[in-house]
């Protein structure tokens, strides 16, 4: 029994250590290109640091948000992080906004891949969450 409690304590400490070490970068160099920021975000996510990944994507929005292709990509990636974490109510408006860009795009310059990816992510959202967000109507009884 003592051994089980001991190992459970070690496991909890390890989980706390791993999740506690995730932090967003304090200073992101100003001279990084959008592509470099994307690479840093993806590397951060791959190493389990979601906070850093989101910070890099947010830096893209701030620095390169006037370029719609960069804006859509960064906003999609943030929404996708929320989907992976099952933060449905946070992801839904993000995905709706991304899809609205495509509805308003008469030029066809937006990368079509992010429209499809946003649609796929929206399809992952449980129906009850879509109803709660007002995207779907509740079924009649």
């Amino acid at each position: 029994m003592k051994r089980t409690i001991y190992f459970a304590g070690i496991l909890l400490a390890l989980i706390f250590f791993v999740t506690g070490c995730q932090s967003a970068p304090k200073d992101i160099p100003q001279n990084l290109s959008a592509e470099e920021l994307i690479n840093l975000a993806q590397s951060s996510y791959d190493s389990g640091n979601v906070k850093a990944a989101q910070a890099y994507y947010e830096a893209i929005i701030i620095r390169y948000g006037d370029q719609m292709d960069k804006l859509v990509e960064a906003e999609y990636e943030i929404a996708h992080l929320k989907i992976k974490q099952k933060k449905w109510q946070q992801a839904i408006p993000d995905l709706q906004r991304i899809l609205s860009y495509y509805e308003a795009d008469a030029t066809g310059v937006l990368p079509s891949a992010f429209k499809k990816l946003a649609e796929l992510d929206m399809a992952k959202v449980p129906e009850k969450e879509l109803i709660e967000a007002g995207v779907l109507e509740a079924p009649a009884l």
Side-chain angles (χ1 to χ4, degrees):
M1 182 70 170
K2 283 186 174 183
R3 194 176 219 170
T4 304
I5 294 171
Y6 175 75
F7 285 116
I10 289 176
L11 181 61
L12 285 173
L14 182 61
I15 290 170
F16 177 75
F17 176 76
V18 169
T19 57
C21 289
Q22 293 184 4
S23 62
K26 293 186 185 352
D27 294 313
I28 300 173
Q30 291 293 322
N31 63 339
L32 296 177
S33 69
E35 291 75 21
E36 290 170 317
L37 290 167
I38 289 168
N39 288 335
L40 287 169
Q42 290 171 345
S43 295
S44 295
Y45 181 79
D46 290 344
S47 65
N49 192 341
V50 177
K51 289 180 185 178
Q54 185 162 342
Y56 288 121
Y57 289 128
E58 288 171 355
I60 293 168
I61 293 169
I62 292 166
R63 296 176 191 178
Y64 300 99
D66 59 336
Q67 299 173 36
M68 280 303 291
D69 59 329
K70 305 296 184 213
L71 176 70
V72 168
E73 182 174 3
E75 285 189 358
Y76 167 75
E77 293 295 349
I78 290 171
H80 188 62
L81 291 174
K82 293 172 184 176
I83 289 291
K84 287 181 174 182
Q85 297 172 325
K86 296 183 174 26
K87 294 181 177 179
W88 311 118
Q89 294 303 314
Q90 293 177 24
I92 291 169
D94 294 351
L95 293 169
Q96 288 178 310
R97 184 177 56 254
I98 292 161
L99 293 171
S100 75
Y101 295 151
Y102 287 92
E103 291 171 11
D105 181 34
T107 63
V109 297
L110 294 177
S112 60
F114 295 107
K115 178 182 181 189
K116 183 65 177 171
L117 291 168
E119 290 169 341
L120 290 170
D121 273 357
M122 190 67 93
K124 293 177 185 175
V125 177
E127 184 177 344
K128 71 178 189 95
E129 298 290 341
L130 293 170
I131 292 169
E132 186 178 318
V135 175
L136 293 179
E137 287 188 30
L141 299 176

